Amino acid sequence: MAARKKLPPTHAELLAALGERLRPPFGVVLGAPGEAMRLVEALTSDDVVAYQMDLHAADRLREALAERQLKARVATAPDLWDLPPDFQTLIYLPPKGGERELRIDMVEQAFHVLRPRGLLAVLTPYQKDDFFPPVLKKVFGRVHAPTVGRSTVFWCQRDGERPRRRHEMTFHVRNGDGPSLVFLSRPGTFAYGRFDDGARALVAAAEVRPGERVVDIGCGCGTNGVVAALRAAEGGHVAFVDSNVRAVALAEHNARANGVASFEAFASARVAGPAAGTFDVALANPPYFAQSSIAALFVVRAQALLKPGGRLFLVTKQPSEVAPILEDVFGEVEGVMVGGYVVFTARKAGRARARVAERDCIPPHPGL
């Protein structure tokens, strides 16, 4: 296979290590958008599908591919094995210091979307990597590990069949004096296997009245929205929104499992989908990265989704950065300390006053 000039060292090393073993149809599994784009370019094939779990990363990857006029298709799904089992070669790009359970999950799922004798290559960011050999051996049997340059390339081939193993954990959340709620969580989603302390502070401070409509922005596996919906009780409703498609699927599952009667779920990188001006309460627990740009998006979209008089409850450990955004969009804001976090409350006035533009809220994705 002919490689393009000036490839990043790791991609050149991958081609050098595996050569003609790399055959289409190709799949590129996760990776930062810029890294995934450069790998697609290195493969010099139009028969490539790049899998992403998060719509924000998927959008950035599509933009990068279009800019380079590359014809690869970007696919998003809760699981890699939701894709057709028709790949001859999969290349997994685990990040440095990434989530252990997600790496295991992707190796397990890769087996099931490969053709018989199809090849999985794992391009690790470490010259010495002790994690992947036992994981790959358990799933695929035999592992090859040529070391070339700065990185290690592991590869193995699918042989035979094996049952699907879904990696997941459950955890419990107390709901007042009633029975505890049970939540299913999976790797690759926020706060895997636990009730996040920020979410705990948010639901402790948020006021939800019977019959109210709630939107859970950046819902994760749905803990905040489920607790709020049960407080709203009969006549209440909750909308879950997240850019991670696996998280949205989990939120739907957990809403049903915990007896939420009325709910809807939206996968969106821009907090789109729910009807504007129809909610009494918005809940937000934004991530602590991207220089508060994600928090700004959550605030702007919450203001649009709320009815006049509706309340936003937002939890943060960065109050000095988030408070000015809330004041620009909502005006007067109140904050209380709960368990080491600040929970802000903002109320929507009858007339919008936002000076933060939605288009300014999302920065380029890391790695692009």
Side-chain angles (χ1 to χ4, degrees), residues 9-340:
T10 51
H11 298 158
E13 290 157 10
L14 172 69
L15 297 174
L18 298 183
E20 295 302 320
R21 291 190 178 92
L22 299 173
R23 293 181 292 136
F26 293 106
V28 176
V29 180
L30 300 180
E35 183 185 13
M37 178 275 294
R38 289 187 288 271
L39 177 57
V40 170
E41 189 173 36
L43 292 172
T44 65
S45 171
D46 291 339
D47 197 358
V48 184
V49 175
Y51 168 75
Q52 291 285 339
M53 198 180 293
D54 188 275
L55 294 174
H56 177 50
D59 288 347
R60 296 297 175 268
L61 178 53
R62 289 189 185 97
E63 293 169 6
L65 293 171
E67 184 177 334
R68 296 294 184 97
Q69 298 184 329
L70 299 171
K71 295 181 179 179
R73 181 171 67 90
V74 180
T76 56
D79 288 286
L80 176 60
W81 61 31
D82 291 335
L83 275 56
D86 194 34
F87 294 99
Q88 186 61 42
T89 304
L90 285 176
I91 304 171
Y92 177 29
L93 300 172
K96 193 170 185 177
E99 186 181 359
R100 176 182 181 277
E101 291 80 4
L102 181 61
R103 288 183 281 175
I104 297 171
D105 192 32
M106 289 298 100
V107 169
E108 176 75 36
Q109 295 204 16
F111 181 94
H112 297 282
V113 296
L114 284 169
R115 294 175 177 178
R117 303 300 295 166
L119 179 145
L120 169 65
V122 179
L123 182 57
T124 81
Y126 304 103
Q127 190 167 35
K128 181 175 176 58
D129 190 316
D130 297 326
F131 175 81
F132 276 104
V135 173
L136 291 165
K137 185 174 182 180
K138 182 177 180 179
V139 176
F140 285 86
R142 188 175 181 183
V143 183
H144 306 270
T147 301
V148 184
R150 301 185 313 180
S151 58
T152 300
V153 178
F154 298 106
W155 67 274
C156 41
Q157 289 181 293
R158 173 174 176 167
D159 186 12
E161 301 290 336
R162 63 180 277 113
R164 293 190 175 196
R165 181 187 174 197
R166 187 180 293 276
H167 293 263
E168 56 193 22
M169 290 180 62
T170 58
F171 60 92
H172 293 252
V173 174
R174 293 191 63 180
N175 185 30
D177 296 329
S180 64
L181 307 174
V182 181
F183 289 89
L184 181 70
S185 64
R186 303 195 56 214
T189 60
F190 175 67
Y192 170 56
R194 61 188 175 87
F195 188 29
D196 172 66
D197 288 340
R200 192 186 304 273
L202 179 61
V203 298
E207 179 189 4
V208 180
R209 301 161 186 154
E212 289 193 314
R213 290 173 53 83
V214 179
V215 58
D216 184 0
I217 301 174
C219 63
C221 71
T223 52
N224 302 341
V226 167
V227 172
L230 295 177
R231 289 179 184 172
E234 187 175 352
H237 177 81
V238 62
F240 300 99
V241 191
D242 204 291
S243 64
N244 185 306
V245 293
R246 177 175 282 188
V248 172
L250 286 167
E252 290 184 281
H253 169 89
N254 288 323
R256 293 189 188 95
N258 287 291
V260 176
S262 178
F263 69 90
E264 54 191 336
F266 302 91
S268 171
R270 307 291 301 181
V271 195
T278 64
F279 292 91
D280 303 288
V281 174
L283 305 175
N285 182 9
Y288 306 126
F289 61 82
Q291 300 173 331
S292 299
S293 294
I294 304 296
L297 175 68
F298 284 11
V299 172
V300 170
R301 293 299 299 145
Q303 199 273 348
L305 294 171
L306 288 170
K307 302 174 182 177
R311 295 100 63 205
L312 166 64
F313 297 93
L314 182 147
V315 63
T316 184
K317 272 198 167 182
Q318 299 172 312
S320 61
E321 296 180 20
V322 175
I325 300 170
L326 285 162
E327 290 167 354
D328 275 349
V329 175
F330 281 89
E332 188 174 345
V333 177
E334 297 178 354
V336 295
M337 287 290 298
V338 182

Side-chain angles (χ1 to χ4, degrees), residues 330-352:
F330 281 89
E332 188 174 345
V333 177
E334 297 178 354
V336 295
M337 287 290 298
V338 182
Y341 290 81
V342 175
V343 180
F344 286 112
T345 304
R347 189 177 300 271
K348 179 175 178 176
R351 179 175 296 179

